Every structure is written in structure tokens, then in C-alpha cells.
Amino acid sequence: MKKIIRRIMVITSIVVGVLVIATALYMQQDKFGKSPRGERLERIKQSPNFKNGKFQNLSKTPQLTEGHNYFEVIYNNYIKKIPWHHPADSIPSLKTDLLSLSVDSNVLIWFGHSSYFIQIDGKRILVDPVFSGNASPLPGTVKSFKGTDAYNVADLPDIDYLFISHDHYDHVDYSTLIALKDKTKKVICGLGVGSHFEHWGYTTDQIIEKDWYEKVQLDIDFTAFVEPARHFSGRGLSTNNTLWASYIVQTSSMKIYIGGDSGYDTHYANIGNKYGPIDLAILDNGQYDEAWRYIHNLPEDVLKAAQDLKAKRLFPVHSSKFALAAHSWDEPLKKITELNKKYNVSLVTPMIGEIVNLNDTTQPFKQWWKGIN
């Protein structure tokens, strides 16, 4: 019996060792990016938001809320059957010719999840683009819904400003960013995130890395203010070694809030008091769970955040392309629409590819998700 136990232990050790080595080798691939080092790391260490070797949120932010555990999360997300987790039908979309858009038109086009194109006051902005059809470093594990891959990099004009909220795989997509390299003039990101871009061949002149509460004067009457979010970061085995952020984009004609990923906190009211009213607030509303509400807004949090921001219009994103949480694919839009009867915020809910006229505050939108199986 002792010999059998000993053999089992040896075999187990070998298997574990092989898995560790295989994982380490796999994670040497370029798509995992590169951790900050050298001068970039020294700059990070000077940030008041970097303590004990990691970036910190403004408030204490455990990844799981009290009363929840990882066994429960694994069961609910990967074992338990989730009704309507993925749509059986194809998600409807429109194919707007972005290359033919007049540069003078102020518009927004959503690509699903948290990727979107903004054209404002003659400048072209792209946010967190993911066009590979996968939101994971493991091929085929988090595939996009049918119908959501209507666009690719070839459909985009040259991009003046590429905004990156944080470096998670559903926001920083290696193959997309490699293809975008020669189309992108400037990348605006939080401290440390530029390390990935430099590793992928972007030049130092293309990359603008900033800390919370700093600003970037992009052009005359065109300014980006870097503000906090309540989230986390990391690729591979590293966590919180790069900074997550939200942004105010302010031009002579309007103010847009790019919220990135965030849980609800006091930063929304602070930003609203500082910059409000906001013409359009873009906030994550999807892939949420009560178990991680500190790092992702629940739908009611989104509506409260919009009020805190003094937003004239609210565009809820982070849904309708990937299944990353244990709710039905259409729940985020259904729930925020229902809850909004109490809040009465002006919702912007376009189909993928539909033109949102940023100058038309009365533009109507259909509840396109209704009737899709």
C-alpha cells in the first residue's frame, strides 16, 4: 500500500510539474504582453496610487463581496446551467461604412461589449477594441456571439486617439492591436499599460501613459482627463501592476465620460462635481454578479452612477458580445431598461454598427434585443 501511495504521489508531482512548465512556456507568448520595468516601473513607484507593490483602489476593494467564495463563483459560472447564457439567434447589427463618414460628423458606433468608435470635432477615437472574436488568452474559450463580429480593423479609418481603460483581455486584444499599430497616432492609457504596447512594436512617441488626476492636452480645445475607476488589472500571473482608469474627453462642443470597467463608488460623484454636467456617460453594464459588485456595476449602480456624473445621456456597454458572468445574455439591457422607469435617465442603446448622433439628444433607439432567442 505504501508503494502504491508513493507511486501516486510521484505521478501526481510529475503531472503538476509538467503542467507548471507547460503553463510557464505558454505564457511566454507575445499576447500576454510585458510587465513594466526600468524607467516605466520607477515612474509607477512614484504614484500615490501604487502601494506595497500594487496599484490600489480609492476604497478597499476585495474581488469578492462578503459572504461569497470562489467555489460558489466557479459553480455558478462553469458548472451550473445558465438559461439564455448565449443567444441561439444571431445578434442583429448594421454595417456602417466608417471610411466614408464625414470627418465633421459627431457620431459614435458601438462594436459590442466595450469597444466603440467616436468621431468628435474632427478627431477619431477608438476605445478598447476587440475584433478577434475571443476575449481570452486561450483560443476558443470565450467566443463572441454570432453576429457580433461585423467589423474588423480594415473597416476603420486612421485613429487619432486610442483609449485603453485597462489591460484585461476583453479590452486589450493582442491581434487587434497588432493590426492597428500603423493606423494609430496616439495611445492613451494608465501607467504601466504602455509596456504591453511597446512590447508589441508601438513606438514611445505613440504611447501616452498617465496617472489618475492627470490631463492630456491632445489638441486645441481637445483635452483628456484621467480619472479613477474601481477595478483591477493584470495579464498572465501579474495583478494590479498596471493602472486601470476612466476618462473625461472634453472638446469645445461636449464632454464624454469613458468609464471603462468599475464598481460603484464615490469617484462617480467626485467626477460629476468636477466636470458635470456630462453630455454622454459610457458605463459598464454587463458581466456583473452580486459576488463581484465591488469591481463591476450592477444595473442599478449604473443608473446611480449616471446621476452622480450629472449625465444628460447614458450609454450602457460591456454586454451583448461575450458571456463572462452567470446571467442571461440579454439581462443587462432588459434590467437597466426596467429599472430606468424609476430613474428616467436618457438611455442610448444602439445595435452594433448603428450610428449614434452625438448632437441629437432626442435620438430614439429600439429595444433591439427583444424577440432574440
Side-chain angles (χ1 to χ4, degrees):
M1 180 61 76
K2 287 182 179 180
K3 287 184 179 180
I4 293 173
I5 293 173
R6 215 175 277 127
R7 285 178 183 174
I8 291 172
M9 291 175 66
V10 170
I11 292 169
T12 301
S13 299
I14 291 171
V15 170
V16 170
V18 169
L19 287 173
V20 169
I21 293 170
T23 300
L25 290 172
Y26 185 77
M27 291 176 64
Q28 295 305 307
Q29 295 181 80
D30 282 344
K31 63 183 173 183
F32 288 94
K34 188 71 73 175
S35 294
R37 60 191 64 189
E39 291 182 10
R40 180 175 278 113
L41 181 57
E42 290 307 310
R43 184 185 174 200
I44 286 171
K45 289 178 179 178
Q46 301 306 309
S47 169
N49 307 304
F50 190 80
K51 301 170 186 175
N52 302 318
K54 292 182 181 293
F55 281 108
Q56 309 287 334
N57 283 293
L58 297 176
S59 302
K60 182 182 177 182
T61 305
Q63 289 199 13
L64 291 184
T65 54
E66 296 80 1
H68 296 272
N69 60 71
Y70 284 105
F71 295 107
E72 167 203 335
V73 169
I74 291 169
Y75 174 77
N76 287 338
N77 284 272
Y78 302 108
I79 299 173
K80 183 180 177 182
K81 187 175 181 180
I82 304 166
W84 308 110
H85 200 215
H86 295 70
D89 296 340
S90 184
I91 298 290
S93 65
L94 298 173
K95 192 65 183 281
T96 297
D97 185 354
L98 304 178
L99 299 173
S100 298
L101 282 175
S102 168
V103 73
D104 297 323
S105 57
N106 289 347
V107 297
L108 180 150
I109 290 89
W110 182 48
F111 304 123
H113 201 63
S114 292
S115 304
Y116 44 93
F117 171 85
I118 302 173
Q119 197 168 263
I120 179 172
D121 291 3
K123 300 295 183 183
R124 294 182 170 115
I125 292 170
L126 186 63
V127 179
D128 291 354
V130 177
F131 296 139
S132 69
N134 192 34
S136 162
L138 301 175
T141 53
V142 186
K143 293 163 66 174
S144 54
F145 300 154
K146 288 186 295 183
T148 61
D149 292 322
Y151 292 85
N152 57 50
V153 171
D155 297 316
L156 299 172
D158 286 349
I159 301 300
D160 293 298
Y161 309 120
L162 171 60
F163 280 83
I164 299 296
S165 64
H166 65 296
D167 65 4
H168 286 156
Y169 300 99
D170 58 325
H171 295 258
V172 169
D173 182 49
Y174 169 71
S175 62
T176 299
L177 293 169
I178 289 294
L180 271 169
K181 186 166 47 179
D182 295 331
K183 279 192 168 187
T184 302
K185 295 177 184 176
K186 296 290 182 183
V187 179
I188 294 93
C189 58
L191 291 180
V193 177
S195 183
H196 304 311
F197 283 83
E198 193 170 340
H199 181 61
W200 295 333
Y202 284 72
T203 67
T204 54
D205 288 339
Q206 284 176 284
I207 303 166
I208 300 172
E209 289 175 84
K210 291 292 181 179
D211 203 350
W212 293 344
Y213 311 119
E214 293 184 336
K215 76 173 185 177
V216 189
Q217 192 66 49
L218 297 169
D219 206 337
I220 299 171
D221 291 329
F222 210 101
T223 309
F225 298 92
V226 186
E227 292 292 325
R230 191 183 192 188
H231 199 55
F232 69 111
S233 69
R235 296 170 79 86
L237 298 177
S238 300
T239 58
N240 295 358
N241 64 335
T242 60
L243 186 63
W244 51 99
S246 65
Y247 303 94
I248 291 284
V249 176
Q250 181 172 320
T251 77
S252 58
S253 65
M254 67 183 66
K255 282 178 275 190
I256 295 176
Y257 179 63
I258 298 172
D261 282 3
S262 181
Y264 184 78
D265 204 2
T266 56
H267 65 286
Y268 290 125
N270 292 336
I271 292 167
N273 291 333
K274 193 173 178 182
Y275 302 103
I278 305 296
D279 294 287
L280 177 67
I282 307 171
L283 297 170
D284 72 313
N285 173 65
Q287 320 325 310
Y288 52 74
D289 194 301
E290 184 64 43
W292 56 73
R293 71 176 301 170
Y294 289 144
I295 54 176
H296 278 295
N297 295 311
L298 300 177
E300 189 158 9
D301 295 332
V302 178
L303 292 164
K304 289 192 295 183
Q307 288 187 331
D308 290 350
L309 289 163
K310 302 174 184 175
K312 297 177 183 177
R313 289 200 288 174
L314 165 63
F315 177 22
V317 297
H318 213 243
S319 73
S320 308
K321 187 165 185 172
F322 301 111
L324 295 165
H327 56 63
S328 62
W329 77 269
D330 58 350
E331 181 186 295
L333 289 171
K334 286 169 62 177
K335 188 167 275 191
I336 199 167
T337 301
E338 181 63 28
L339 289 169
N340 193 43
K341 292 176 182 177
K342 180 176 72 173
Y343 287 84
N344 199 30
V345 177
S346 179
L347 287 182
V348 173
T349 54
M351 282 194 295
I352 289 173
E354 181 178 359
I355 292 178
V356 176
N357 186 341
L358 295 175
N359 293 331
D360 183 2
T361 58
T362 62
Q363 181 181 359
F365 297 94
K366 295 180 180 178
Q367 294 183 19
W368 59 263
W369 53 93
K370 284 188 171 181
I372 299 174
N373 295 317

